[in-house]
Short mmCIF file of all heavy atoms in Angstrom, two decimals:
data_model
loop_
_atom_site.label_atom_id
_atom_site.label_comp_id
_atom_site.label_asym_id
_atom_site.label_seq_id
_atom_site.Cartn_x
_atom_site.Cartn_y
_atom_site.Cartn_z
N MET N 1 0.85 -1.20 0.00
CA MET N 1 0.00 0.00 0.00
C MET N 1 0.88 1.25 0.00
O MET N 1 1.77 1.41 0.83
CB MET N 1 -0.88 -0.01 1.25
CG MET N 1 -1.92 1.09 1.20
SD MET N 1 -3.33 0.69 2.24
CE MET N 1 -2.81 1.30 3.82
N ALA N 2 0.66 2.07 -0.94
CA ALA N 2 1.48 3.27 -1.06
C ALA N 2 1.00 4.36 -0.11
O ALA N 2 -0.18 4.66 -0.03
CB ALA N 2 1.44 3.78 -2.49
N GLU N 3 1.96 4.89 0.59
CA GLU N 3 1.62 6.00 1.49
C GLU N 3 1.87 7.32 0.78
O GLU N 3 2.95 7.55 0.26
CB GLU N 3 2.49 5.92 2.74
CG GLU N 3 1.73 5.31 3.91
CD GLU N 3 2.48 5.52 5.20
OE1 GLU N 3 2.38 6.60 5.77
OE2 GLU N 3 3.17 4.58 5.64
N VAL N 4 0.88 8.13 0.76
CA VAL N 4 1.03 9.41 0.06
C VAL N 4 1.08 10.53 1.08
O VAL N 4 0.20 10.66 1.92
CB VAL N 4 -0.15 9.64 -0.90
CG1 VAL N 4 0.06 10.93 -1.68
CG2 VAL N 4 -0.28 8.47 -1.86
N HIS N 5 2.14 11.30 0.99
CA HIS N 5 2.27 12.43 1.91
C HIS N 5 2.03 13.74 1.17
O HIS N 5 2.96 14.38 0.70
CB HIS N 5 3.66 12.44 2.54
CG HIS N 5 3.87 11.28 3.46
ND1 HIS N 5 3.28 11.21 4.70
CD2 HIS N 5 4.57 10.14 3.32
CE1 HIS N 5 3.64 10.08 5.27
NE2 HIS N 5 4.42 9.41 4.46
N GLU N 6 0.80 14.05 1.05
CA GLU N 6 0.45 15.32 0.42
C GLU N 6 -0.21 16.20 1.46
O GLU N 6 -1.34 15.98 1.86
CB GLU N 6 -0.49 15.09 -0.76
CG GLU N 6 0.24 14.50 -1.96
CD GLU N 6 -0.67 14.41 -3.16
OE1 GLU N 6 -1.01 15.45 -3.72
OE2 GLU N 6 -1.06 13.29 -3.51
N ILE N 7 0.54 17.18 1.90
CA ILE N 7 0.06 18.03 2.98
C ILE N 7 -1.26 18.70 2.60
O ILE N 7 -2.20 18.73 3.36
CB ILE N 7 1.12 19.10 3.32
CG1 ILE N 7 2.31 18.39 3.99
CG2 ILE N 7 0.53 20.15 4.27
CD1 ILE N 7 3.49 19.31 4.24
N GLY N 8 -1.31 19.20 1.40
CA GLY N 8 -2.52 19.90 0.96
C GLY N 8 -3.75 19.00 1.05
O GLY N 8 -4.79 19.40 1.55
N LYS N 9 -3.59 17.77 0.60
CA LYS N 9 -4.72 16.85 0.62
C LYS N 9 -5.06 16.42 2.04
O LYS N 9 -6.20 16.38 2.44
CB LYS N 9 -4.38 15.60 -0.20
CG LYS N 9 -5.01 15.62 -1.57
CD LYS N 9 -4.79 14.29 -2.26
CE LYS N 9 -5.27 14.37 -3.71
NZ LYS N 9 -4.94 13.14 -4.44
N ALA N 10 -4.01 16.10 2.77
CA ALA N 10 -4.22 15.58 4.12
C ALA N 10 -4.91 16.59 5.02
O ALA N 10 -5.67 16.22 5.90
CB ALA N 10 -2.87 15.17 4.73
N ARG N 11 -4.64 17.85 4.77
CA ARG N 11 -5.18 18.85 5.67
C ARG N 11 -6.45 19.49 5.13
O ARG N 11 -6.97 20.42 5.68
CB ARG N 11 -4.13 19.95 5.91
CG ARG N 11 -2.90 19.38 6.56
CD ARG N 11 -1.94 20.46 6.94
NE ARG N 11 -2.56 21.43 7.84
CZ ARG N 11 -2.81 21.22 9.12
NH1 ARG N 11 -2.52 20.04 9.64
NH2 ARG N 11 -3.35 22.14 9.86
N ARG N 12 -6.93 18.97 4.05
CA ARG N 12 -8.14 19.55 3.47
C ARG N 12 -9.36 19.13 4.27
O ARG N 12 -9.41 18.04 4.81
CB ARG N 12 -8.30 19.05 2.04
CG ARG N 12 -9.24 19.93 1.26
CD ARG N 12 -9.49 19.35 -0.10
NE ARG N 12 -10.75 19.88 -0.58
CZ ARG N 12 -11.28 19.57 -1.73
NH1 ARG N 12 -10.68 18.73 -2.50
NH2 ARG N 12 -12.40 20.09 -2.10
N GLY N 13 -10.32 20.03 4.34
CA GLY N 13 -11.57 19.66 4.96
C GLY N 13 -11.78 20.27 6.32
O GLY N 13 -12.90 20.32 6.80
N LYS N 14 -10.70 20.75 6.96
CA LYS N 14 -10.87 21.33 8.29
C LYS N 14 -10.19 22.69 8.36
O LYS N 14 -9.02 22.80 8.03
CB LYS N 14 -10.27 20.39 9.34
CG LYS N 14 -10.86 20.62 10.70
CD LYS N 14 -10.27 19.66 11.70
CE LYS N 14 -8.92 20.17 12.18
NZ LYS N 14 -8.39 19.40 13.30
N CYS N 15 -10.93 23.66 8.81
CA CYS N 15 -10.36 24.99 8.96
C CYS N 15 -9.36 24.98 10.10
O CYS N 15 -9.70 24.57 11.21
CB CYS N 15 -11.48 25.99 9.26
SG CYS N 15 -10.87 27.63 9.64
N PRO N 16 -8.11 25.37 9.85
CA PRO N 16 -7.09 25.37 10.90
C PRO N 16 -7.36 26.39 11.99
O PRO N 16 -6.77 26.35 13.05
CB PRO N 16 -5.79 25.69 10.16
CG PRO N 16 -6.21 26.39 8.91
CD PRO N 16 -7.58 25.87 8.57
N ASN N 17 -8.25 27.30 11.69
CA ASN N 17 -8.54 28.35 12.66
C ASN N 17 -9.64 27.95 13.62
O ASN N 17 -9.52 28.11 14.83
CB ASN N 17 -8.91 29.63 11.94
CG ASN N 17 -9.01 30.79 12.90
OD1 ASN N 17 -8.07 31.09 13.61
ND2 ASN N 17 -10.15 31.42 12.95
N CYS N 18 -10.74 27.43 13.11
CA CYS N 18 -11.87 27.12 13.99
C CYS N 18 -12.30 25.66 13.90
O CYS N 18 -13.11 25.21 14.70
CB CYS N 18 -13.04 28.03 13.65
SG CYS N 18 -13.77 27.67 12.06
N GLY N 19 -11.74 24.91 12.94
CA GLY N 19 -12.05 23.50 12.87
C GLY N 19 -13.30 23.16 12.07
O GLY N 19 -13.67 22.00 11.95
N LYS N 20 -13.94 24.17 11.54
CA LYS N 20 -15.12 23.92 10.71
C LYS N 20 -14.72 23.41 9.34
O LYS N 20 -13.56 23.49 8.94
CB LYS N 20 -15.91 25.22 10.55
CG LYS N 20 -16.71 25.60 11.78
CD LYS N 20 -17.49 26.87 11.48
CE LYS N 20 -18.06 27.47 12.76
NZ LYS N 20 -18.60 28.81 12.52
N GLN N 21 -15.70 22.92 8.62
CA GLN N 21 -15.41 22.43 7.28
C GLN N 21 -14.99 23.59 6.38
O GLN N 21 -15.54 24.67 6.46
CB GLN N 21 -16.67 21.78 6.70
CG GLN N 21 -16.35 20.92 5.51
CD GLN N 21 -17.56 20.17 5.01
OE1 GLN N 21 -18.59 20.15 5.64
NE2 GLN N 21 -17.42 19.55 3.87
N THR N 22 -14.01 23.33 5.53
CA THR N 22 -13.50 24.40 4.68
C THR N 22 -14.42 24.65 3.49
O THR N 22 -15.17 23.78 3.08
CB THR N 22 -12.11 24.05 4.13
OG1 THR N 22 -12.21 22.82 3.42
CG2 THR N 22 -11.12 23.91 5.25
N GLU N 23 -14.31 25.87 2.99
CA GLU N 23 -15.01 26.22 1.76
C GLU N 23 -13.99 26.33 0.65
O GLU N 23 -12.92 26.91 0.84
CB GLU N 23 -15.71 27.58 1.94
CG GLU N 23 -16.91 27.54 2.87
CD GLU N 23 -18.05 26.73 2.28
OE1 GLU N 23 -18.16 26.67 1.04
OE2 GLU N 23 -18.82 26.16 3.06
N PRO N 24 -14.28 25.78 -0.51
CA PRO N 24 -13.31 25.81 -1.63
C PRO N 24 -12.79 27.21 -1.90
O PRO N 24 -11.62 27.40 -2.21
CB PRO N 24 -14.14 25.29 -2.81
CG PRO N 24 -15.19 24.44 -2.18
CD PRO N 24 -15.51 25.07 -0.85
N ASP N 25 -13.64 28.19 -1.78
CA ASP N 25 -13.24 29.57 -2.07
C ASP N 25 -12.19 30.07 -1.09
O ASP N 25 -11.41 30.96 -1.41
CB ASP N 25 -14.45 30.50 -2.01
CG ASP N 25 -15.29 30.38 -3.27
OD1 ASP N 25 -14.86 29.66 -4.19
OD2 ASP N 25 -16.36 30.98 -3.33
N TYR N 26 -12.20 29.52 0.10
CA TYR N 26 -11.32 30.06 1.15
C TYR N 26 -10.34 29.03 1.66
O TYR N 26 -9.73 29.22 2.70
CB TYR N 26 -12.16 30.59 2.31
CG TYR N 26 -13.16 31.62 1.88
CD1 TYR N 26 -14.52 31.37 1.96
CD2 TYR N 26 -12.73 32.85 1.40
CE1 TYR N 26 -15.45 32.31 1.56
CE2 TYR N 26 -13.65 33.79 0.99
CZ TYR N 26 -15.00 33.52 1.07
OH TYR N 26 -15.91 34.46 0.67
N ARG N 27 -10.18 27.92 0.95
CA ARG N 27 -9.26 26.90 1.40
C ARG N 27 -7.91 27.50 1.78
O ARG N 27 -7.40 28.37 1.08
CB ARG N 27 -9.06 25.86 0.26
CG ARG N 27 -9.96 24.70 0.43
CD ARG N 27 -9.53 23.54 -0.42
NE ARG N 27 -9.26 23.93 -1.79
CZ ARG N 27 -8.34 23.32 -2.54
NH1 ARG N 27 -7.64 22.32 -2.06
NH2 ARG N 27 -8.12 23.70 -3.76
N PRO N 28 -7.26 27.02 2.83
CA PRO N 28 -7.74 25.91 3.66
C PRO N 28 -8.62 26.36 4.81
O PRO N 28 -8.71 25.67 5.82
CB PRO N 28 -6.44 25.30 4.17
CG PRO N 28 -5.54 26.48 4.34
CD PRO N 28 -5.95 27.48 3.26
N PHE N 29 -9.25 27.49 4.66
CA PHE N 29 -10.08 28.00 5.74
C PHE N 29 -11.55 27.85 5.40
O PHE N 29 -11.91 27.47 4.29
CB PHE N 29 -9.75 29.47 6.01
CG PHE N 29 -8.30 29.67 6.32
CD1 PHE N 29 -7.43 30.11 5.34
CD2 PHE N 29 -7.80 29.39 7.57
CE1 PHE N 29 -6.09 30.26 5.60
CE2 PHE N 29 -6.46 29.55 7.84
CZ PHE N 29 -5.60 29.99 6.86
N CYS N 30 -12.39 28.17 6.38
CA CYS N 30 -13.83 27.99 6.18
C CYS N 30 -14.47 29.29 5.72
O CYS N 30 -15.59 29.29 5.23
CB CYS N 30 -14.48 27.50 7.48
SG CYS N 30 -14.56 28.78 8.74
N SER N 31 -13.76 30.38 5.87
CA SER N 31 -14.35 31.66 5.51
C SER N 31 -13.27 32.72 5.38
O SER N 31 -12.14 32.52 5.81
CB SER N 31 -15.34 32.09 6.59
OG SER N 31 -14.64 32.35 7.79
N ALA N 32 -13.65 33.83 4.79
CA ALA N 32 -12.69 34.92 4.64
C ALA N 32 -12.25 35.42 6.00
O ALA N 32 -11.12 35.86 6.20
CB ALA N 32 -13.32 36.06 3.84
N ARG N 33 -13.16 35.34 6.95
CA ARG N 33 -12.84 35.82 8.30
C ARG N 33 -11.71 35.00 8.91
O ARG N 33 -10.74 35.54 9.45
CB ARG N 33 -14.10 35.72 9.17
CG ARG N 33 -13.92 36.32 10.54
CD ARG N 33 -15.24 36.35 11.28
NE ARG N 33 -15.77 35.01 11.49
CZ ARG N 33 -15.41 34.24 12.50
NH1 ARG N 33 -14.56 34.68 13.38
NH2 ARG N 33 -15.91 33.03 12.63
N CYS N 34 -11.82 33.68 8.83
CA CYS N 34 -10.79 32.82 9.41
C CYS N 34 -9.47 33.02 8.66
O CYS N 34 -8.40 32.98 9.25
CB CYS N 34 -11.23 31.36 9.34
SG CYS N 34 -12.33 30.93 10.70
N LYS N 35 -9.57 33.20 7.36
CA LYS N 35 -8.36 33.42 6.56
C LYS N 35 -7.66 34.68 7.06
O LYS N 35 -6.44 34.70 7.24
CB LYS N 35 -8.76 33.57 5.10
CG LYS N 35 -7.59 33.49 4.15
CD LYS N 35 -8.11 33.53 2.72
CE LYS N 35 -6.96 33.49 1.74
NZ LYS N 35 -7.44 33.51 0.35
N THR N 36 -8.43 35.71 7.28
CA THR N 36 -7.87 36.98 7.73
C THR N 36 -7.27 36.83 9.12
O THR N 36 -6.19 37.33 9.41
CB THR N 36 -8.98 38.05 7.77
OG1 THR N 36 -9.55 38.16 6.48
CG2 THR N 36 -8.41 39.39 8.18
N ILE N 37 -7.98 36.11 9.97
CA ILE N 37 -7.49 35.93 11.33
C ILE N 37 -6.18 35.17 11.32
O ILE N 37 -5.22 35.54 11.99
CB ILE N 37 -8.54 35.17 12.17
CG1 ILE N 37 -9.73 36.08 12.43
CG2 ILE N 37 -7.92 34.70 13.49
CD1 ILE N 37 -10.90 35.35 13.06
N ASP N 38 -6.13 34.11 10.53
CA ASP N 38 -4.91 33.30 10.49
C ASP N 38 -3.76 34.12 9.93
O ASP N 38 -2.64 34.10 10.45
CB ASP N 38 -5.14 32.07 9.62
CG ASP N 38 -4.00 31.07 9.80
OD1 ASP N 38 -3.99 30.39 10.84
OD2 ASP N 38 -3.13 31.00 8.94
N LEU N 39 -4.05 34.86 8.89
CA LEU N 39 -3.03 35.72 8.30
C LEU N 39 -2.53 36.71 9.34
O LEU N 39 -1.33 36.97 9.46
CB LEU N 39 -3.63 36.46 7.11
CG LEU N 39 -2.62 37.15 6.19
CD1 LEU N 39 -1.80 36.13 5.43
CD2 LEU N 39 -3.35 38.06 5.22
N GLY N 40 -3.46 37.24 10.11
CA GLY N 40 -3.10 38.23 11.12
C GLY N 40 -2.14 37.68 12.16
O GLY N 40 -1.34 38.42 12.73
N LYS N 41 -2.21 36.37 12.41
CA LYS N 41 -1.32 35.78 13.40
C LYS N 41 0.13 35.93 12.98
O LYS N 41 1.02 36.07 13.82
CB LYS N 41 -1.64 34.29 13.56
CG LYS N 41 -2.93 34.04 14.26
CD LYS N 41 -3.16 32.54 14.30
CE LYS N 41 -4.58 32.22 14.69
NZ LYS N 41 -4.86 30.78 14.47
N TRP N 42 0.36 35.86 11.67
CA TRP N 42 1.74 35.86 11.18
C TRP N 42 2.25 37.27 10.93
O TRP N 42 3.43 37.50 10.78
CB TRP N 42 1.83 35.02 9.91
CG TRP N 42 1.25 33.67 10.12
CD1 TRP N 42 0.10 33.17 9.57
CD2 TRP N 42 1.77 32.62 10.95
NE1 TRP N 42 -0.11 31.89 10.02
CE2 TRP N 42 0.88 31.53 10.85
CE3 TRP N 42 2.91 32.52 11.76
CZ2 TRP N 42 1.09 30.35 11.56
CZ3 TRP N 42 3.10 31.33 12.46
CH2 TRP N 42 2.21 30.27 12.34
N VAL N 43 1.36 38.21 10.86
CA VAL N 43 1.81 39.58 10.59
C VAL N 43 1.50 40.49 11.77
O VAL N 43 1.57 41.69 11.65
CB VAL N 43 1.15 40.13 9.32
CG1 VAL N 43 1.58 39.32 8.12
CG2 VAL N 43 -0.35 40.17 9.44
N THR N 44 1.19 39.89 12.91
CA THR N 44 0.89 40.70 14.08
C THR N 44 2.07 41.63 14.37
O THR N 44 3.20 41.21 14.40
CB THR N 44 0.64 39.80 15.29
OG1 THR N 44 -0.45 38.95 15.00
CG2 THR N 44 0.30 40.63 16.51
N GLY N 45 1.77 42.87 14.57
CA GLY N 45 2.83 43.83 14.80
C GLY N 45 3.10 44.67 13.57
O GLY N 45 3.55 45.80 13.67
N SER N 46 2.84 44.10 12.42
CA SER N 46 3.05 44.85 11.19
C SER N 46 1.87 45.79 10.93
O SER N 46 2.02 46.94 10.68
CB SER N 46 3.20 43.90 10.01
OG SER N 46 4.30 43.04 10.23
N TYR N 47 0.69 45.20 11.01
CA TYR N 47 -0.50 46.02 10.86
C TYR N 47 -1.68 45.31 11.50
O TYR N 47 -1.63 44.11 11.77
CB TYR N 47 -0.79 46.34 9.40
CG TYR N 47 -1.07 45.13 8.54
CD1 TYR N 47 -2.36 44.64 8.41
CD2 TYR N 47 -0.03 44.51 7.84
CE1 TYR N 47 -2.60 43.55 7.61
CE2 TYR N 47 -0.28 43.41 7.05
CZ TYR N 47 -1.57 42.94 6.91
OH TYR N 47 -1.79 41.86 6.13
N ARG N 48 -2.75 46.03 11.70
CA ARG N 48 -3.91 45.48 12.40
C ARG N 48 -4.98 45.03 11.42
O ARG N 48 -5.29 45.72 10.47
CB ARG N 48 -4.49 46.55 13.31
CG ARG N 48 -3.55 46.89 14.45
CD ARG N 48 -4.06 46.28 15.74
NE ARG N 48 -3.07 46.40 16.80
CZ ARG N 48 -3.25 45.83 17.98
NH1 ARG N 48 -4.32 45.15 18.23
NH2 ARG N 48 -2.34 45.96 18.91
N ILE N 49 -5.53 43.87 11.74
CA ILE N 49 -6.65 43.39 10.93
C ILE N 49 -7.94 43.99 11.50
O ILE N 49 -8.17 43.91 12.70
CB ILE N 49 -6.74 41.85 10.99
CG1 ILE N 49 -5.43 41.23 10.51
CG2 ILE N 49 -7.92 41.36 10.16
CD1 ILE N 49 -5.13 41.46 9.05
N PRO N 50 -8.74 44.59 10.66
CA PRO N 50 -9.99 45.20 11.14
C PRO N 50 -11.04 44.16 11.49
O PRO N 50 -12.02 43.99 10.80
CB PRO N 50 -10.43 46.08 9.97
CG PRO N 50 -9.85 45.43 8.76
CD PRO N 50 -8.57 44.76 9.22
N THR N 51 -10.80 43.45 12.57
CA THR N 51 -11.80 42.48 13.02
C THR N 51 -11.82 42.47 14.54
O THR N 51 -10.79 42.62 15.18
CB THR N 51 -11.48 41.07 12.50
OG1 THR N 51 -12.44 40.18 13.03
CG2 THR N 51 -10.11 40.62 12.93
N ASP N 52 -12.99 42.33 15.10
CA ASP N 52 -13.04 42.27 16.55
C ASP N 52 -13.23 40.84 17.03
O ASP N 52 -13.45 40.58 18.20
CB ASP N 52 -14.15 43.18 17.11
CG ASP N 52 -15.44 43.01 16.34
OD1 ASP N 52 -15.67 41.92 15.80
OD2 ASP N 52 -16.20 43.97 16.29
N GLU N 53 -13.17 39.91 16.07
CA GLU N 53 -13.27 38.51 16.44
C GLU N 53 -11.88 37.91 16.44
O GLU N 53 -11.21 37.86 15.43
CB GLU N 53 -14.16 37.77 15.45
CG GLU N 53 -15.63 38.07 15.68
CD GLU N 53 -16.47 36.88 15.26
OE1 GLU N 53 -16.17 35.76 15.70
OE2 GLU N 53 -17.41 37.09 14.51
N VAL N 54 -11.45 37.45 17.59
CA VAL N 54 -10.14 36.83 17.69
C VAL N 54 -10.31 35.38 18.13
O VAL N 54 -11.23 35.06 18.86
CB VAL N 54 -9.24 37.58 18.71
CG1 VAL N 54 -8.91 38.95 18.20
CG2 VAL N 54 -9.91 37.64 20.05
N PRO N 55 -9.40 34.52 17.67
CA PRO N 55 -9.48 33.12 18.08
C PRO N 55 -9.21 32.96 19.58
O PRO N 55 -8.42 33.70 20.16
CB PRO N 55 -8.40 32.44 17.25
CG PRO N 55 -7.45 33.52 16.86
CD PRO N 55 -8.28 34.78 16.78
N GLU N 56 -9.88 32.00 20.17
CA GLU N 56 -9.66 31.78 21.59
C GLU N 56 -8.28 31.17 21.81
O GLU N 56 -7.73 30.51 20.95
CB GLU N 56 -10.73 30.84 22.14
CG GLU N 56 -12.09 31.53 22.19
CD GLU N 56 -13.15 30.56 22.69
OE1 GLU N 56 -12.79 29.65 23.46
OE2 GLU N 56 -14.30 30.72 22.31
N GLU N 57 -7.78 31.36 23.00
CA GLU N 57 -6.44 30.89 23.28
C GLU N 57 -6.34 29.37 23.10
O GLU N 57 -5.37 28.86 22.59
CB GLU N 57 -6.07 31.23 24.72
CG GLU N 57 -4.71 31.91 24.80
CD GLU N 57 -4.44 32.44 26.19
OE1 GLU N 57 -4.86 33.57 26.51
OE2 GLU N 57 -3.84 31.70 26.96
N SER N 58 -7.35 28.67 23.51
CA SER N 58 -7.33 27.22 23.37
C SER N 58 -7.25 26.83 21.91
O SER N 58 -6.61 25.85 21.55
CB SER N 58 -8.58 26.61 24.01
OG SER N 58 -9.74 27.19 23.43
N ASP N 59 -7.92 27.60 21.05
CA ASP N 59 -7.86 27.31 19.63
C ASP N 59 -6.45 27.51 19.10
O ASP N 59 -5.95 26.74 18.30
CB ASP N 59 -8.81 28.23 18.86
CG ASP N 59 -10.26 27.84 19.10
OD1 ASP N 59 -10.47 26.69 19.56
OD2 ASP N 59 -11.14 28.66 18.85
N MET N 60 -5.81 28.55 19.58
CA MET N 60 -4.45 28.84 19.14
C MET N 60 -3.51 27.71 19.55
O MET N 60 -2.66 27.28 18.80
CB MET N 60 -3.96 30.14 19.78
CG MET N 60 -4.85 31.32 19.45
SD MET N 60 -4.23 32.35 18.12
CE MET N 60 -2.61 32.77 18.66
N GLU N 61 -3.69 27.23 20.75
CA GLU N 61 -2.82 26.15 21.24
C GLU N 61 -3.01 24.90 20.40
O GLU N 61 -2.07 24.23 20.03
CB GLU N 61 -3.13 25.86 22.70
CG GLU N 61 -2.49 26.88 23.62
CD GLU N 61 -2.96 26.72 25.06
OE1 GLU N 61 -3.70 25.75 25.35
OE2 GLU N 61 -2.60 27.57 25.87
N ALA N 62 -4.26 24.62 20.09
CA ALA N 62 -4.55 23.44 19.27
C ALA N 62 -3.92 23.60 17.89
O ALA N 62 -3.39 22.65 17.34
CB ALA N 62 -6.07 23.27 19.13
N LEU N 63 -3.98 24.80 17.38
CA LEU N 63 -3.41 25.06 16.06
C LEU N 63 -1.90 24.86 16.10
O LEU N 63 -1.33 24.24 15.22
CB LEU N 63 -3.74 26.50 15.65
CG LEU N 63 -3.12 26.93 14.32
CD1 LEU N 63 -3.75 26.17 13.17
CD2 LEU N 63 -3.32 28.42 14.12
N LEU N 64 -1.26 25.35 17.13
CA LEU N 64 0.18 25.23 17.22
C LEU N 64 0.58 23.77 17.34
O LEU N 64 1.53 23.32 16.72
CB LEU N 64 0.68 26.01 18.44
CG LEU N 64 0.62 27.54 18.27
CD1 LEU N 64 0.94 28.23 19.58
CD2 LEU N 64 1.57 28.00 17.19
N ARG N 65 -0.19 23.02 18.13
CA ARG N 65 0.09 21.59 18.25
C ARG N 65 -0.05 20.94 16.89
O ARG N 65 0.75 20.09 16.50
CB ARG N 65 -0.86 20.94 19.25
CG ARG N 65 -0.33 20.95 20.66
CD ARG N 65 -1.07 19.93 21.51
NE ARG N 65 -2.50 20.22 21.59
CZ ARG N 65 -3.04 21.05 22.46
NH1 ARG N 65 -2.28 21.66 23.32
NH2 ARG N 65 -4.33 21.26 22.46
N ASP N 66 -1.08 21.32 16.18
CA ASP N 66 -1.37 20.76 14.87
C ASP N 66 -0.19 20.98 13.95
O ASP N 66 0.24 20.11 13.23
CB ASP N 66 -2.62 21.43 14.31
CG ASP N 66 -3.33 20.50 13.34
OD1 ASP N 66 -3.25 19.28 13.55
OD2 ASP N 66 -3.96 21.00 12.40
N ARG N 67 0.35 22.18 13.97
CA ARG N 67 1.44 22.52 13.06
C ARG N 67 2.69 21.74 13.44
O ARG N 67 3.49 21.37 12.58
CB ARG N 67 1.72 24.02 13.12
CG ARG N 67 0.67 24.82 12.36
CD ARG N 67 1.01 26.30 12.36
NE ARG N 67 -0.16 27.10 11.97
CZ ARG N 67 -0.48 27.37 10.70
NH1 ARG N 67 0.25 26.92 9.74
NH2 ARG N 67 -1.54 28.08 10.42
N GLU N 68 2.88 21.50 14.72
CA GLU N 68 4.06 20.74 15.13
C GLU N 68 3.97 19.30 14.64
O GLU N 68 4.94 18.71 14.23
CB GLU N 68 4.18 20.77 16.65
CG GLU N 68 4.88 22.05 17.11
CD GLU N 68 4.98 22.11 18.62
OE1 GLU N 68 4.60 21.14 19.29
OE2 GLU N 68 5.42 23.14 19.11
N ASP N 69 2.76 18.77 14.66
CA ASP N 69 2.57 17.40 14.20
C ASP N 69 2.92 17.25 12.73
O ASP N 69 3.27 16.18 12.27
CB ASP N 69 1.11 16.97 14.40
CG ASP N 69 0.82 16.78 15.87
OD1 ASP N 69 1.79 16.71 16.66
OD2 ASP N 69 -0.36 16.68 16.24
N GLU N 70 2.83 18.35 12.05
CA GLU N 70 3.01 18.32 10.60
C GLU N 70 4.47 18.10 10.20
O GLU N 70 4.75 17.65 9.14
CB GLU N 70 2.53 19.66 10.04
CG GLU N 70 2.00 19.55 8.63
CD GLU N 70 1.41 20.86 8.20
OE1 GLU N 70 0.22 21.10 8.48
OE2 GLU N 70 2.15 21.66 7.62
N ARG N 71 5.38 18.44 11.10
CA ARG N 71 6.78 18.36 10.74
C ARG N 71 7.25 16.93 10.50
O ARG N 71 6.92 16.06 11.27
CB ARG N 71 7.62 18.98 11.85
CG ARG N 71 7.54 20.48 11.75
CD ARG N 71 8.53 21.13 12.70
NE ARG N 71 8.22 20.74 14.09
CZ ARG N 71 8.87 21.27 15.14
NH1 ARG N 71 9.83 22.10 14.96
NH2 ARG N 71 8.53 20.92 16.34
ZN1 LIG S 101 -12.81 28.75 10.28
#
């Protein structure tokens, strides 16, 4: 049985920000909002994202764990 390591495929279907099902338009996120929030995590300090919805700390921890598993 061939094992395929395709990160894009393996991670499809779940929004890394909130865990909801992804939308094709916003892959790998479920919405433009989550995409913006995730983007904001990496550019924090550079500029502010005009959103008052921030991910909960527990979500962030889960996300970080998730990314570590990916290595
Ligand atoms: Zn989401």
Side-chain angles (χ1 to χ4, degrees):
M1 188 156 87
E3 260 192 81
V4 183
H5 292 287
E6 286 186 71
I7 290 174
K9 259 188 187 174
R11 299 186 58 75
R12 198 186 157 181
K14 203 179 82 171
C15 173
N17 188 56
C18 70
K20 284 182 192 170
Q21 196 174 351
T22 58
E23 289 292 331
D25 282 354
Y26 304 114
R27 265 196 311 148
F29 304 99
C30 72
S31 66
R33 186 173 62 84
C34 278
K35 193 175 179 179
T36 303
I37 289 171
D38 192 76
L39 193 69
K41 288 178 193 169
W42 307 111
V43 297
T44 300
S46 300
Y47 62 89
R48 292 255 170 186
I49 303 293
T51 177
D52 46 28
E53 285 209 51
V54 293
E56 290 178 28
E57 230 172 274
S58 56
D59 288 342
M60 302 261 305
E61 281 171 6
L63 176 68
L64 288 172
R65 270 198 299 275
D66 207 31
R67 284 183 196 274
E68 276 179 5
D69 288 346
E70 209 174 274
R71 283 189 299 186

